[in-house]
Structures are given as C-alpha cells and as structure tokens.
Amino acid sequence: MDGTPGGLSGISAPGRVAAPDEGVTEQELALAARNHGLPLEALRYDVTPPGLHYVLTHYDIPATDADGWRLTVGGRVRRTLDLDLDALRARPATTRRVTLECAGNGRARLTPRPVSQPWLVEAVGTAEWTGVPLAALLAEAGIADDAVEAVFTGADHGVERGVEQDYRRSLPLSTAADPARDVLVAYEMNGAPLPPQHGSPLRLVVPGWYGMAHVKWLRDITLTATPYTGFQQSVAYRLRQSAEDVGEPVTLIAPRALMVPPGFPDFMSRTRVVRPGPVPLAGRAWSGHGPVTRVEVSENDGATWTEAELVPDPAHPWAWTAWRTTWTATPGLRRLTVRATDAAGNAQPLVAEETWNRGGFASNLVQRVEVLCTTEATAA
Amino acid sequence: MDGTPGGLSGISAPGRVAAPDEGVTEQELALAARNHGLPLEALRYDVTPPGLHYVLTHYDIPATDADGWRLTVGGRVRRTLDLDLDALRARPATTRRVTLECAGNGRARLTPRPVSQPWLVEAVGTAEWTGVPLAALLAEAGIADDAVEAVFTGADHGVERGVEQDYRRSLPLSTAADPARDVLVAYEMNGAPLPPQHGSPLRLVVPGWYGMAHVKWLRDITLTATPYTGFQQSVAYRLRQSAEDVGEPVTLIAPRALMVPPGFPDFMSRTRVVRPGPVPLAGRAWSGHGPVTRVEVSENDGATWTEAELVPDPAHPWAWTAWRTTWTATPGLRRLTVRATDAAGNAQPLVAEETWNRGGFASNLVQRVEVLCTTEATAA
C-alpha cells in the first residue's frame, strides 16, 4: 500500500532541500541529537578517545550478540565462508590507524540546505582498527573470474526515502581485493571490541573512503558479476545537481583541514576568546586522494595566507596529519580560515557554492573560526 | 571594555527565547553537533555503553593530565586537603549506579523555545561511578561550625552570558556531607578511568540531581559560610518565568519515562514501523524524588492508559527502573505516549506549557513516539 496514507511513503518522504530561510527542522534536530561529531578541541588527540569519534547511524544501533555472530562470504566465490568471531580472530590480524569522515560533513552550511543529518564541520574521527584484511578473506574464498564487486550487508534495518532495507553498500574489487588498499573486516577499535555504535561485533573499514562505505554490524559479503545498484549505491550517496541527475558516486574523502579552536569559547556562540600576542594554532588535515601537502591559515578571509608546519607520520598513511603554526593576535573580532591541499592537487574551496550538491555530500568548504582578541577579563 | 563592540558582550548575548516560528539556529545546531544524547534504542542497556551516555560540555573539554592532577579541599574546614589521584585511590572506594539527566532535557520541545542546547528527550544515561564518598572527604577535612555549602570548581573555562568563568557550582552541606546521599568524587566510569568528556580525571557525582551539579574536571572543593551566588547558581539553572524573576533553583530530577522506540525507523522522520499484532514495549523510568511507582502507556493520546510492569532493582536505588508491557498494534499511524509517576506523587505532564520556564529546565513533558503499523514491506 505504498503511496497510500497508511503506507511507508506517508512517513518516508523523498529527499529535499530546505526552503530559503527555512530553519533547521525538528527532524534534522532529532538526528543531530542522536548522532554526534568530534568536539573540535578533541582534534588534540592523535587517536580519538572512545565516545568522541563521530557517529552516524542510519537506522537504529542493532542489538547484536558477538557470541552467535556469523560472517558469510559468498556469491561469485569458489568456496563459501561462514565464520564466527573466533574464526576471524584466529586469522592473521592487521591494525591500521584510519581517519574516517562522514560523506555528509559540511551539509548544514550549504545554501539551499539539503535536509538530512545537519553536520557543520565536525563529522570526523581517527581510530586504530584491528581485523582481518578483506583481501586475505577474498583470496581464501577464491574470487570467481566474472566477479566485479563485493556487496556488504549490515544488520541495521530501516526505511529510507520510502524503501525498507538492510543497510548495504558495494565496493569494486579493484579496491576490495587489493591488499595495498588495506580494507579490513575489523573487530577491534582502539584495542577493544567494537562499541555498539561503531558496528559491534564486526564492521568494514575502507581507508580513504567516506564513512558510508565502512559498513557496520557486517554480516555478509557477496561477490557479484554485475555492479550493485541498491538504494545506498544508486539513490543515496550520489553527487547530483537535481533530483533527476544520475550523478557521480561518492567515494574518496576530499581534503579538509580543521583547527582546534584557540583560546576558550563562549557557551552559546562558540566564538573564541584569546588575549593579544602569539597564539599557538594546531589541528589536523586529511584527504583520501593522497597525502596532505599544504595547510594554510588566513586571518583576513583569504587575502593572505600563512603556511603551517606539517608533522607527517609515515607510520600511519591513512590517518590525519597534524599541523601547527603561530598566529599573532591583535585586539578585535577576527575570523580565522584554514585550508588543506593534497598531493593530487585538490584544495578546499572558499565558497560553499563550489561544493553544492543535492545530497550535501563531500562538501569540504573551509572551516572558519570567529575569535575575539581582547584584554578584557571578567571574573565570575 | 564589556559593552563595547570589542568586548565579551559582543560575542556573548543574554539568554533569550526564540521568536514564534524561529527555526533552530546555527548556534543551537553547533551545540547539538558537539553534545549528544542517548540514542533511544540504547535504553536497552542497564548500564549505558561508553560513548552512548549523554554529554553536555559548557565550554571545551579541557586538556587535563591525571598524573599531575590535584584536588584541594579548603575554605571553612579544620585542615586543608591537597590530594593527587593516588591519594584518592588509596582511600576506601564506593561504586554507585547512577542515572544522570541534563537539566535542559526537553528544552527544544517548549514553545517559545529557550535558545540553548536544543535537547528533545534524549539527554540521559546510566553509568557505574567509582570514587571516594564526598562525606568521608569532608569528615577528614573537618567541617567548620559555620560552614553551610560546598563549592565545586572544574577546570573548564569559558564565557557565558557575558561572564568569563571557571565552571563552578555549590551544594548545601545537608546534601554534600550526608553519607546517605551517596555524593562521590569519582575517578572511574564503568570500571575504567573517566573519559575526557565525562570529567577526566575527577568529577562530582550527585545521585538524584540534574547534571549541572555533577561538576566535571573537579579541581577544588571550598566550604563556605554563606550560600554561593556565582553564575551557575544564581543566573543559570533557575526556574524563571521572566528575565526579572529570581526563580527557584534547579535541583532534583523530575520523573520521566522513556521508551525504546519499537520496530524499526525511517531514517529521516524517525517514525517507527511495526507489523500488526503484539509488539513488546520496554524502556526505563527514573526520578530524583524517589522510586518510580508507576509507568503507563497510551496509544490514544491519554484517553486510556495501560499500566506497564516495573522491574525494580533494589541494588541500584539511584539508577533508572526498567519497565515493559505489550501493545497490540493494528494498522494505521499511531502515537504512543508514556509517563512515569514517582513515590512522592510527581507525574509527567501531558502538555508542555505545564513545564515551561525561561531557561527550559526540568521540563519532563511525556515522550511521544509515532508508529506506523503496516503490512507493507518493500525489499531493497
């Protein structure tokens, strides 16, 4: 009875963009209250402490049980695998430090605003993931000659834009089966079993790709002879200019730099307060397209830029790069801007329009931080 | 230079309520993206797993170091204490399971909406806190005869409504020094050192009180001979009907029941989908005023109520109480309501107006959950 008042379409509307001057809706707010970003001061940690890493859950966090969990690997393989957690833990393990960002990061700063999870800039985090290399599992199963993609199914179930579904995404085998891509079937995050909200007991980790590819609560991997065209591949996560546009798929993370906001904040406006003089600035930058090669800071909206010092960590090529510089603050209300450039030559845009698309994906507009430099102090 | 364009007042406006039909602002959204509630399906856990417990940080999470941390206990005491973490850990420890709720929970459902952290219903969580009983520390220091309050100072620093401050709150000694109130100086949450966002390395835990009393990043306790009148006591956290109203202080948690939303959700509307027939309903209820004595569910906006079964846990008097019942779903769009009553006779209101105050505190309007009961299924 889809399409009738009692049907799913009545509670699950198509994607839309907000009307001009339409404030954030209660539906967007309910998503913002459930999901959360990285509080930006937590950029100070090389590895994001538990609970501070961003979380985006499409449906509910499922009630999973590690004891009875099975991962099946089937479809276009020579032999089907059916593995429990012990079987996965018995195989050679790999640990990778990976920076993970939601594809919708930046969405709420677009005009018009795509109506979905309303991220500003904070949907990111870095963790140490431990698990079995996907390439090894696929080699063990044996990839059939006609296989082209691996389709990953999670245990999370819901409705989206009128379609009831398990969360499901695919990767081309050129990524999934390439040991150099370091795709993992992970069972530990920062040395502990996965927390419920990060996919307990198993999730996919796809270094360099936006979060939608890192299927949580992973229960099945199926190789296919044709590209997967399900909802999360063909309807969601496309870069469209209009509802009719087929669009390009969202894949690798676009470059972004974020700054630990300097000084201390006002509770409500989050404007920062610093005293005049040298102010250390630091943060992180990352890109799925290659190493970050430049981070620049501007105190005058891009009229001039100061290049920050990068602190690369060759041991962790999939993790963000630390950067630092010093800013000499002078009294007044300032606006700091930071931007990253990667080895492939991608840089962050200064205007949101350059990243607009109907789903609000991969929008890497520069971060701007309002800072009041003042000699004033009022004791409480 | 407060009051001038370069001063703190320029970035830190007085509290206000939203204009009629004013959508959620970008400032409220920035708070919602940093702070987060309990995803309601996580009500299934007796003790909230790390990262799912609600978090509200006024300023920044400070960069603290457990190694050099000192807690001082002074003011109107017979001998000042200056303790490091080892000294606290060497004292007899107590563990208490405590349900903690933000005083601003429910604020964003008020009309007009107080402009602050825009919680809907989800600012709650339950944890096992381990630490030293505050009553024992105060007895060790020796309470001077003229002492009336204990003032607690955290390491978090910022500006709020124009006032630069360390976060600071007081408790009357009738609560702080009463062993039966179980107030703790806690250094562990769920058996592990406190995470940064929950007060690492030390926080106050005040069972039965709203979250503003549980001072995080605790570094000083000072007993005073007069009641404390600082910002967080006399300006914030008051139940005022107007800006001029002195108001009553926010203290104990008002009763509230929450339901694990049944079935599965639509991504955007969060409306639930169930099939016709018996649907198990379950959740939690709590009150700072005494045990929860009744939880009721209505499928018809309160025309009739079904009493749920309570599952009390006498071992954990400061924690929420589980409840459960079964609802027979029939096709159509339904709205479930749940309400709690406590031993003191307090019950949740059915209309928001009954809880309105200018700060949006202690608003315990009933939860309502939209549920579509349908036989329809669409495969992805």
Side-chain angles (χ1 to χ4, degrees), chain B residues 165-219:
Chain B
Q165 58 191 284
D166 292 335
Y167 188 84
R168 187 173 283 140
R169 283 274 311 180
S170 75
L171 286 176
L173 285 179
S174 56
T175 294
D178 180 355
R181 300 295 314 188
D182 275 338
V183 181
L184 294 182
V185 174
Y187 48 75
E188 285 187 1
M189 181 185 190
N190 300 338
L194 300 186
Q197 70 274 31
H198 289 291
S200 173
L202 276 187
R203 77 175 298 172
L204 200 65
V205 173
V206 190
W209 286 58
Y210 281 114
M212 76 283 153
H214 304 231
V215 176
K216 289 176 282 196
W217 312 292
L218 181 67
R219 59 178 180 77

Side-chain angles (χ1 to χ4, degrees), chain B residues 2-378:
Chain B
D2 197 14
T4 69
L8 293 178
S9 64
I11 62 155
S12 188
R16 71 178 185 96
V17 297
D21 301 320
E22 180 182 352
V24 171
T25 63
E26 183 166 324
Q27 291 188 356
E28 290 166 285
L29 184 57
L31 286 172
R34 284 177 56 76
N35 300 306
H36 69 88
L38 177 88
L40 294 178
E41 65 273 26
L43 290 163
R44 72 168 74 105
Y45 306 108
D46 290 338
V47 173
T48 309
L52 296 178
H53 193 292
Y54 97 89
V55 174
L56 186 286
T57 308
H58 276 242
Y59 314 124
D60 283 356
I61 299 166
T64 58
D65 182 359
D67 283 344
W69 199 262
R70 314 294 301 191
L71 173 68
T72 46
V73 182
R76 304 302 302 148
V77 296
R78 304 199 191 281
R79 71 200 66 83
T80 297
L81 305 181
D82 183 353
L83 305 167
D84 62 12
L85 269 282
D86 287 343
L88 286 165
R89 288 179 177 275
R91 284 164 168 73
T94 296
T95 297
R96 290 289 178 272
R97 185 180 296 181
V98 177
T99 294
L100 190 48
E101 182 176 11
C102 185
N105 202 10
R107 177 184 289 128
R109 296 199 297 157
L110 295 173
T111 304
R113 184 183 76 253
V115 176
S116 183
Q117 166 69 36
W119 296 122
L120 296 164
V121 297
E122 60 290 285
V124 68
T126 294
E128 302 264 8
W129 301 98
T130 299
V132 180
L134 177 62
L137 279 184
L138 296 182
E140 184 179 336
I143 300 172
D145 291 340
D146 62 353
V148 296
E149 286 198 350
V151 180
F152 305 89
T153 303
D156 42 335
H157 185 88
V159 183
E160 202 161 342
R161 313 305 185 195
V163 181
E164 184 177 338
Q165 58 191 284
D166 292 335
Y167 188 84
R168 187 173 283 140
R169 283 274 311 180
S170 75
L171 286 176
L173 285 179
S174 56
T175 294
D178 180 355
R181 300 295 314 188
D182 275 338
V183 181
L184 294 182
V185 174
Y187 48 75
E188 285 187 1
M189 181 185 190
N190 300 338
L194 300 186
Q197 70 274 31
H198 289 291
S200 173
L202 276 187
R203 77 175 298 172
L204 200 65
V205 173
V206 190
W209 286 58
Y210 281 114
M212 76 283 153
H214 304 231
V215 176
K216 289 176 282 196
W217 312 292
L218 181 67
R219 59 178 180 77
D220 181 73
I221 302 172
T222 296
L223 302 200
T224 59
T226 55
Y228 176 65
T229 59
F231 181 90
Q232 301 294 347
Q233 212 81 21
S234 301
V235 180
Y237 297 113
R238 311 285 298 191
L239 302 171
R240 304 178 198 272
Q241 291 301 307
S242 69
E244 297 70 35
D245 187 4
V246 172
E248 291 297 312
V250 177
T251 57
L252 299 176
I253 298 174
R256 188 191 294 274
L258 289 178
M259 176 188 307
V260 176
F264 53 84
D266 175 61
F267 167 69
M268 192 66 224
S269 71
R270 307 315 290 179
T271 301
R272 315 297 304 189
V273 179
V274 301
R275 309 301 180 205
V279 175
L281 299 180
R284 310 280 172 173
W286 62 93
S287 169
H289 296 274
V292 169
T293 51
R294 191 163 65 240
V295 170
E296 300 159 286
V297 176
S298 175
E299 64 164 347
N300 50 24
D301 268 330
T304 60
W305 295 91
T306 299
E307 194 161 335
E309 178 191 1
L310 298 181
V311 191
D313 182 354
H316 300 296
W318 300 115
W320 52 27
T321 298
W323 62 265
R324 60 191 175 202
T325 189
T326 301
W327 167 54
T328 302
T330 53
L333 189 59
R334 309 298 174 194
R335 189 161 76 158
L336 301 178
T337 307
V338 60
R339 72 172 173 193
T341 302
D342 68 24
N346 304 297
Q348 290 183 255
L350 299 178
V351 291
E353 288 70 14
E354 293 181 22
T355 69
W356 193 89
N357 60 82
R358 195 180 156 80
F361 297 118
S363 175
N364 64 338
L365 174 67
V366 292
Q367 179 194 19
R368 292 192 168 96
V369 180
E370 304 279 340
V371 184
L372 174 70
C373 176
T374 177
T375 55
E376 171 193 1
T378 63

Side-chain angles (χ1 to χ4, degrees), chain A residues 1 8 11-12 33-34 37 41 44 58-61 159 164 265-267 269-270 272 275 374 376 378, chain B residues 1-2 8 11-12 33-34 37 41 44 59-61 159 164 266-267 269-270 272 275 374 376 378:
Chain A
M1 57 184 174
L8 293 179
I11 62 153
S12 188
R34 283 176 56 77
E41 65 272 27
R44 72 169 75 104
H58 277 241
Y59 314 124
D60 283 356
I61 299 166
V159 184
E164 184 179 338
D266 175 62
F267 168 69
S269 71
R270 307 315 289 179
R272 315 297 302 190
R275 309 301 181 205
T374 177
E376 172 192 2
T378 64
Chain B
M1 57 184 175
D2 197 14
L8 293 178
I11 62 155
S12 188
R34 284 177 56 76
E41 65 273 26
R44 72 168 74 105
Y59 314 124
D60 283 356
I61 299 166
V159 183
E164 184 177 338
D266 175 61
F267 167 69
S269 71
R270 307 315 290 179
R272 315 297 304 189
R275 309 301 180 205
T374 177
E376 171 193 1
T378 63

Side-chain angles (χ1 to χ4, degrees), chain A residues 35-55:
Chain A
N35 300 306
H36 68 90
L38 177 88
L40 294 178
E41 65 272 27
L43 289 163
R44 72 169 75 104
Y45 306 107
D46 290 338
V47 173
T48 308
L52 296 178
H53 193 292
Y54 98 89
V55 174

Side-chain angles (χ1 to χ4, degrees), chain A residues 28-118:
Chain A
E28 289 166 287
L29 183 57
L31 286 172
R34 283 176 56 77
N35 300 306
H36 68 90
L38 177 88
L40 294 178
E41 65 272 27
L43 289 163
R44 72 169 75 104
Y45 306 107
D46 290 338
V47 173
T48 308
L52 296 178
H53 193 292
Y54 98 89
V55 174
L56 186 285
T57 308
H58 277 241
Y59 314 124
D60 283 356
I61 299 166
T64 57
D65 181 358
D67 283 344
W69 199 260
R70 314 294 301 189
L71 174 68
T72 46
V73 182
R76 304 302 302 148
V77 295
R78 301 198 194 284
R79 71 199 67 83
T80 296
L81 305 181
D82 183 353
L83 305 167
D84 62 11
L85 268 283
D86 286 343
L88 286 165
R89 288 179 177 275
R91 284 166 167 73
T94 295
T95 297
R96 290 289 179 271
R97 184 179 298 181
V98 177
T99 294
L100 189 48
E101 183 177 11
C102 185
N105 202 9
R107 176 184 291 128
R109 295 200 296 159
L110 294 174
T111 305
R113 184 183 75 253
V115 176
S116 183
Q117 165 68 37

